[in-house]
mmCIF file of all heavy atoms in Angstrom:
data_model
loop_
_atom_site.group_PDB
_atom_site.id
_atom_site.type_symbol
_atom_site.label_atom_id
_atom_site.label_comp_id
_atom_site.label_asym_id
_atom_site.label_seq_id
_atom_site.Cartn_x
_atom_site.Cartn_y
_atom_site.Cartn_z
ATOM 1 N N ALA A 140 52.416 219.940 81.001
ATOM 2 C CA ALA A 140 52.891 220.458 79.727
ATOM 3 C C ALA A 140 53.919 219.502 79.259
ATOM 4 O O ALA A 140 53.996 219.222 77.992
ATOM 5 C CB ALA A 140 53.495 221.926 79.890
ATOM 6 N N GLN A 169 37.588 184.973 74.839
ATOM 7 C CA GLN A 169 38.104 184.395 75.914
ATOM 8 C C GLN A 169 37.232 184.361 77.131
ATOM 9 O O GLN A 169 37.501 183.841 78.209
ATOM 10 C CB GLN A 169 39.392 185.006 76.364
ATOM 11 C CG GLN A 169 40.637 184.828 75.219
ATOM 12 C CD GLN A 169 40.833 183.388 74.984
ATOM 13 O OE1 GLN A 169 40.488 182.956 73.933
ATOM 14 N NE2 GLN A 169 41.482 182.688 75.895
ATOM 15 N N LEU A 188 36.220 206.797 65.915
ATOM 16 C CA LEU A 188 37.046 206.883 64.598
ATOM 17 C C LEU A 188 36.358 207.915 63.794
ATOM 18 O O LEU A 188 37.073 208.641 63.130
ATOM 19 C CB LEU A 188 37.230 205.583 64.133
ATOM 20 C CG LEU A 188 37.968 205.469 62.816
ATOM 21 C CD1 LEU A 188 39.405 205.891 63.123
ATOM 22 C CD2 LEU A 188 38.045 204.030 62.197
ATOM 23 N N ASP A 199 42.159 216.351 74.167
ATOM 24 C CA ASP A 199 42.423 217.052 75.474
ATOM 25 C C ASP A 199 43.748 216.795 75.984
ATOM 26 O O ASP A 199 44.085 215.686 76.315
ATOM 27 C CB ASP A 199 41.390 216.588 76.519
ATOM 28 C CG ASP A 199 41.289 217.343 77.816
ATOM 29 O OD1 ASP A 199 42.181 218.157 78.012
ATOM 30 O OD2 ASP A 199 40.438 216.981 78.626
ATOM 31 N N SER A 229 48.028 197.420 79.078
ATOM 32 C CA SER A 229 48.669 198.619 79.585
ATOM 33 C C SER A 229 48.900 199.601 78.558
ATOM 34 O O SER A 229 48.755 199.214 77.417
ATOM 35 C CB SER A 229 49.997 198.163 80.290
ATOM 36 O OG SER A 229 50.775 199.394 80.544
ATOM 37 N N THR A 242 54.559 202.278 62.093
ATOM 38 C CA THR A 242 55.844 202.156 61.297
ATOM 39 C C THR A 242 55.735 201.209 60.283
ATOM 40 O O THR A 242 56.285 201.476 59.020
ATOM 41 C CB THR A 242 56.970 201.690 62.249
ATOM 42 O OG1 THR A 242 57.020 202.605 63.394
ATOM 43 C CG2 THR A 242 58.259 201.554 61.638
ATOM 44 N N HIS A 267 68.639 207.119 27.557
ATOM 45 C CA HIS A 267 70.036 207.649 27.511
ATOM 46 C C HIS A 267 71.169 206.628 27.606
ATOM 47 O O HIS A 267 72.162 206.834 28.161
ATOM 48 C CB HIS A 267 70.212 208.829 28.558
ATOM 49 C CG HIS A 267 69.329 209.968 28.198
ATOM 50 N ND1 HIS A 267 69.732 210.955 27.354
ATOM 51 C CD2 HIS A 267 68.306 210.513 28.886
ATOM 52 C CE1 HIS A 267 68.838 211.785 27.355
ATOM 53 N NE2 HIS A 267 67.835 211.673 28.265
ATOM 54 N N GLY A 302 65.396 197.205 50.222
ATOM 55 C CA GLY A 302 65.718 196.001 50.880
ATOM 56 C C GLY A 302 65.831 196.181 52.361
ATOM 57 O O GLY A 302 65.329 195.262 53.225
ATOM 58 N N ARG A 309 60.115 193.401 58.173
ATOM 59 C CA ARG A 309 59.916 191.829 58.740
ATOM 60 C C ARG A 309 60.149 191.764 60.086
ATOM 61 O O ARG A 309 59.437 190.948 60.837
ATOM 62 C CB ARG A 309 60.807 191.140 57.882
ATOM 63 C CG ARG A 309 60.770 189.568 58.114
ATOM 64 C CD ARG A 309 61.680 188.801 57.138
ATOM 65 N NE ARG A 309 63.083 189.310 57.018
ATOM 66 C CZ ARG A 309 64.053 189.113 57.975
ATOM 67 N NH1 ARG A 309 63.737 188.270 58.948
ATOM 68 N NH2 ARG A 309 65.326 189.597 57.676
ATOM 69 N N ALA A 364 68.233 206.913 57.269
ATOM 70 C CA ALA A 364 69.432 207.793 56.966
ATOM 71 C C ALA A 364 70.316 207.406 55.822
ATOM 72 O O ALA A 364 70.836 208.293 55.289
ATOM 73 C CB ALA A 364 70.111 207.695 58.387
ATOM 74 N N PHE A 387 74.872 220.094 32.056
ATOM 75 C CA PHE A 387 74.455 218.801 31.499
ATOM 76 C C PHE A 387 72.939 218.649 31.536
ATOM 77 O O PHE A 387 72.352 218.003 30.654
ATOM 78 C CB PHE A 387 75.010 217.710 32.425
ATOM 79 C CG PHE A 387 76.596 217.538 32.415
ATOM 80 C CD1 PHE A 387 77.198 216.654 33.237
ATOM 81 C CD2 PHE A 387 77.229 218.133 31.459
ATOM 82 C CE1 PHE A 387 78.470 216.396 33.086
ATOM 83 C CE2 PHE A 387 78.632 217.948 31.360
ATOM 84 C CZ PHE A 387 79.274 217.077 32.159
ATOM 85 N N SER A 398 65.546 234.465 41.713
ATOM 86 C CA SER A 398 66.177 235.435 42.637
ATOM 87 C C SER A 398 65.415 236.674 42.872
ATOM 88 O O SER A 398 64.813 236.987 41.844
ATOM 89 C CB SER A 398 67.523 235.636 42.315
ATOM 90 O OG SER A 398 68.047 236.859 43.199
ATOM 91 N N SER A 439 60.390 203.271 80.389
ATOM 92 C CA SER A 439 60.617 204.600 80.962
ATOM 93 C C SER A 439 60.042 205.692 80.247
ATOM 94 O O SER A 439 59.895 205.529 79.016
ATOM 95 C CB SER A 439 62.126 204.847 81.099
ATOM 96 O OG SER A 439 62.822 203.944 81.916
ATOM 97 N N ASP A 454 58.153 211.901 57.259
ATOM 98 C CA ASP A 454 57.585 212.915 56.617
ATOM 99 C C ASP A 454 58.636 213.472 55.713
ATOM 100 O O ASP A 454 58.322 213.864 54.520
ATOM 101 C CB ASP A 454 57.044 214.061 57.535
ATOM 102 C CG ASP A 454 55.865 213.636 58.312
ATOM 103 O OD1 ASP A 454 55.105 212.632 58.027
ATOM 104 O OD2 ASP A 454 55.507 214.345 59.300
ATOM 105 N N VAL A 483 87.210 215.810 27.778
ATOM 106 C CA VAL A 483 88.113 216.754 28.457
ATOM 107 C C VAL A 483 88.737 216.083 29.543
ATOM 108 O O VAL A 483 88.120 215.312 30.261
ATOM 109 C CB VAL A 483 87.150 217.969 28.808
ATOM 110 C CG1 VAL A 483 87.985 218.860 29.711
ATOM 111 C CG2 VAL A 483 86.586 218.658 27.722
ATOM 112 N N GLY A 511 100.952 207.736 30.354
ATOM 113 C CA GLY A 511 101.255 208.960 31.162
ATOM 114 C C GLY A 511 102.213 209.811 30.521
ATOM 115 O O GLY A 511 101.936 211.054 30.508
ATOM 116 N N GLY A 548 88.502 207.449 20.616
ATOM 117 C CA GLY A 548 87.287 208.286 20.610
ATOM 118 C C GLY A 548 86.367 207.974 21.847
ATOM 119 O O GLY A 548 86.427 206.662 22.322
ATOM 120 N N GLU A 569 70.699 196.135 28.639
ATOM 121 C CA GLU A 569 70.388 194.845 29.388
ATOM 122 C C GLU A 569 70.032 195.109 30.829
ATOM 123 O O GLU A 569 69.101 194.483 31.460
ATOM 124 C CB GLU A 569 71.626 193.984 29.164
ATOM 125 C CG GLU A 569 71.822 193.408 27.715
ATOM 126 C CD GLU A 569 73.185 192.645 27.607
ATOM 127 O OE1 GLU A 569 73.860 192.667 28.711
ATOM 128 O OE2 GLU A 569 73.467 192.058 26.618
ATOM 129 N N PHE A 578 62.775 195.351 40.049
ATOM 130 C CA PHE A 578 62.400 196.329 40.988
ATOM 131 C C PHE A 578 60.909 196.858 40.749
ATOM 132 O O PHE A 578 60.342 197.338 41.676
ATOM 133 C CB PHE A 578 63.246 197.557 40.965
ATOM 134 C CG PHE A 578 64.714 197.292 41.317
ATOM 135 C CD1 PHE A 578 65.829 197.493 40.589
ATOM 136 C CD2 PHE A 578 64.929 196.743 42.662
ATOM 137 C CE1 PHE A 578 67.040 197.237 40.898
ATOM 138 C CE2 PHE A 578 66.230 196.440 43.101
ATOM 139 C CZ PHE A 578 67.304 196.588 42.134
#
Side-chain angles (χ1 to χ4, degrees):
Q169 294 299 107
L188 182 61
D199 186 353
S229 161
T242 304
H267 293 283
R309 175 176 55 81
F387 290 175
S398 165
S439 297
D454 291 346
V483 173
E569 291 170 359
F578 299 123

